Amino acid sequence: MRNWRWGFLLLLHLVFLLGIEAFKFHKTQRTERISGSAGDVLEDDPVGRLKVFVYELPSKYNKKILQKDPRCLSHMFAAEIYMHRFLLSSPVRTLNPEEADWFYTPVYTTCDLTPNGLPLPFKSPRMMRSAIQLIASNWPYWNRTEGADHFFIVPHDFAACFHYQEEKAIGRGILPLLQRSTLVQTFGQRNHVCLKDGSITIPPYAPPQKMQSHFIPPDIPRSIFVYFRGLFYDVGNDPEGGYYARGARAAVWENFKDNPLFDISTEHPTTYYEDMQRAIFCLCPLGWAPWSPRLVEAVIFGCIPVIIADDIVLPFADAIPWEEIGVFVAEKDVPNLDTILTSIPPEEILRKQRLLANPSMKQAMLFPQPAQSGDAFHQILNGLARKLPHDRSVYLTPGEKILNWTAGPVGDLKPW
């Protein structure tokens, strides 16, 4: 009890200090950016630095799938749809494939949803193989490099491993035909078979208009110390516990469910977005995969993300200074989470909040309609532009083959 009383006094003192700063910030609109570091490239303009050719595929690979289930427009895997729409009207698009730096194949592999809205990845490998076979037989550009100058959006839980369970995703590995291509994916974890060198890690889709409609006045003090809403256990898929989130979420609940500094629950209130704006720290633990939309929501709402996911590769890590705006806690250290967070000096918290208030930081995490300068679409293009020019070694000699078209599970080889 003594620790809790001390915690309450600390929280009151911190809220008082941060409330004063929030009032000052509201009056002066102070933000902070990082010069001479990764943060500098957030405002890069990709226009003029690359040209992208968009393959025109039969509508069964994209538009017809979306017509069948419009829910795909609002789930967290929707980046594949919005990136396609963006590129069709983007100034980086070229209609002349001979002058293209990159080639894009618009395939909506996550738009196969259960009644509950969860994407089923089981048809995705065959669908992707079919699309690649189509472009390889109808255009000469895939065969020049076997996809080394092509990029694909693969926003599944474990990207191009095409399974939502990690053990099975690891067993499958990345679809063999994508081994030479650049993968643009939400999944990011170091030393993992589902993340290959050269991939671009992006944020999951979160509806910009929906979040913006829940903004509250910026001078309202942040009176919640730690906030989290979500599962702690996944009884249906992990009845024995310990496997889901590698036990990290369970450790949060078991250690802090009765701690008044922690506002944590499985309930998802209608005030969820408003509550995040009243919180100082927002927990962003891994679930089945290391990433989730909470990371986007925390940045948008100025809540310092507490990232609990060992070896995570964060979105646009070469542009967003995550170490400066977030707090990283090792999964094994979750039982000490209260001590770790209460030990952070107020001036460090205030600096992280000023950095989070920078509009360019927020913009980079969103896929707005229409697109806006510096948004996630432009960050993807910037990532592609930084890979240019392609090394001459990616171009194959006539008749040279590297990829094995018959590799992979037998089920993947069936026609789609």
Side-chain angles (χ1 to χ4, degrees):
M1 285 297 291
R2 200 179 306 169
N3 287 340
W4 287 3
R5 290 196 191 101
W6 177 82
F8 265 131
L9 289 172
L10 176 68
L11 179 58
L12 288 172
H13 177 63
L14 192 55
V15 168
F16 175 73
L17 287 176
L18 298 178
I20 293 174
E21 285 296 321
F23 178 77
K24 291 178 182 176
F25 173 78
H26 179 58
K27 291 296 183 183
T28 62
Q29 290 296 296
R30 277 196 301 146
T31 64
E32 187 168 333
R33 73 187 303 278
I34 300 175
S35 296
S37 73
D40 281 340
V41 301
L42 272 178
E43 297 164 19
D44 282 356
D45 185 357
V47 177
R49 299 170 59 209
L50 78 167
K51 293 183 179 181
V52 177
F53 179 77
V54 180
Y55 287 112
E56 291 188 23
L57 300 185
S59 59
K60 69 175 185 176
Y61 291 98
N62 40 62
K63 294 177 183 177
K64 280 190 176 178
I65 297 174
L66 181 58
Q67 289 171 359
K68 181 181 175 183
D69 199 336
R71 293 179 300 168
C72 298
L73 284 169
S74 58
H75 69 41
M76 60 184 174
F77 306 97
E80 63 182 0
I81 299 170
Y82 289 112
M83 190 66 187
H84 181 203
R85 292 181 174 183
F86 164 73
L87 284 172
L88 289 177
S89 59
S90 171
V92 306
R93 183 188 181 191
T94 178
L95 299 179
N96 178 7
E98 292 296 333
E99 66 177 19
D101 301 296
W102 288 99
F103 295 82
Y104 168 64
T105 308
V107 189
Y108 299 171
T109 58
T110 66
C111 193
D112 181 15
L113 306 182
T114 67
N116 293 330
L118 300 174
L120 294 171
F122 307 119
K123 298 177 184 176
S124 302
R126 289 187 291 131
M127 184 180 181
M128 186 67 81
R129 280 181 55 89
S130 174
I132 293 173
Q133 287 171 334
L134 181 70
I135 63 173
S137 59
N138 286 277
W139 288 272
Y141 308 105
W142 173 273
N143 298 316
R144 293 188 315 187
T145 65
E146 288 198 319
D149 52 358
H150 288 56
F151 70 94
F152 293 82
I153 313 295
V154 281
H156 281 275
D157 291 275
F158 291 95
C161 288
F162 294 126
H163 208 287
Y164 57 85
Q165 293 178 339
E166 183 173 20
E167 186 175 344
K168 292 182 178 178
I170 291 172
R172 288 185 52 84
I174 293 172
L175 188 72
L177 291 187
L178 295 177
Q179 290 288 350
R180 287 174 57 81
S181 301
T182 290
L183 303 181
V184 179
Q185 58 187 70
T186 45
F187 174 76
Q189 183 174 319
R190 289 186 291 274
N191 304 315
H192 197 287
V193 298
C194 299
L195 177 70
K196 71 185 193 71
D197 289 345
S199 297
I200 296 174
T201 310
I202 64 172
Y205 176 77
Q209 290 81 6
K210 180 181 177 182
M211 290 190 290
Q212 289 161 1
S213 69
H214 287 267
F215 281 148
I216 63 176
D219 56 344
I220 292 179
R222 292 184 178 267
S223 55
I224 301 170
F225 190 59
V226 179
Y227 188 75
F228 176 78
R229 290 294 183 273
L231 289 177
F232 297 98
Y233 300 91
D234 187 345
V235 178
N237 294 300
D238 182 28
E240 296 181 7
Y243 187 68
Y244 176 61
R246 296 196 283 258
R249 292 197 187 199
V252 170
W253 179 249
E254 295 302 331
N255 285 278
F256 304 112
K257 60 187 175 185
D258 297 320
N259 189 321
L261 292 177
F262 284 68
D263 187 345
I264 58 176
S265 172
T266 57
E267 297 177 2
H268 203 288
T270 56
T271 57
Y272 174 69
Y273 286 154
E274 288 81 359
D275 293 343
M276 292 188 85
Q277 294 170 81
R278 296 186 181 99
I280 296 170
F281 295 105
C282 288
L283 301 185
C284 300
L286 74 162
W288 285 112
W291 60 271
S292 82
R294 287 182 192 84
L295 199 62
V296 178
E297 295 161 349
V299 172
I300 297 303
F301 294 127
C303 186
I304 298 170
V306 180
I307 299 159
I308 307 170
D310 294 353
D311 296 322
I312 188 171
V313 177
L314 289 158
F316 306 131
D318 57 347
I320 296 177
W322 290 104
E323 295 283 349
E324 302 287 345
I325 65 175
V327 175
F328 290 79
V329 176
E331 294 165 25
K332 66 179 178 59
D333 292 334
V334 167
N336 303 318
L337 195 54
D338 55 346
T339 303
I340 292 169
L341 296 180
T342 56
S343 299
I344 300 175
E347 57 271 19
E348 186 176 338
I349 293 174
L350 292 169
R351 182 167 188 265
K352 290 180 184 295
Q353 290 177 334
R354 288 195 297 270
L355 287 168
L356 283 168
N358 190 325
S360 64
M361 209 74 70
K362 302 177 187 298
Q363 190 78 328
M365 298 294 284
L366 295 175
F367 295 91
Q369 305 296 308
Q372 299 170 15
S373 177
D375 62 17
F377 300 116
H378 291 84
Q379 300 306 326
I380 292 172
L381 293 182
N382 282 333
L384 293 169
R386 286 193 284 272
K387 294 178 177 292
L388 297 175
H390 296 295
D391 191 279
R392 295 304 304 173
S393 64
V394 306
Y395 295 96
L396 307 180
T397 58
E400 183 182 2
K401 299 289 183 184
I402 294 177
L403 298 178
N404 182 354
W405 285 73
T406 60
V410 174
D412 291 359
L413 306 181
K414 296 179 181 178
W416 177 72

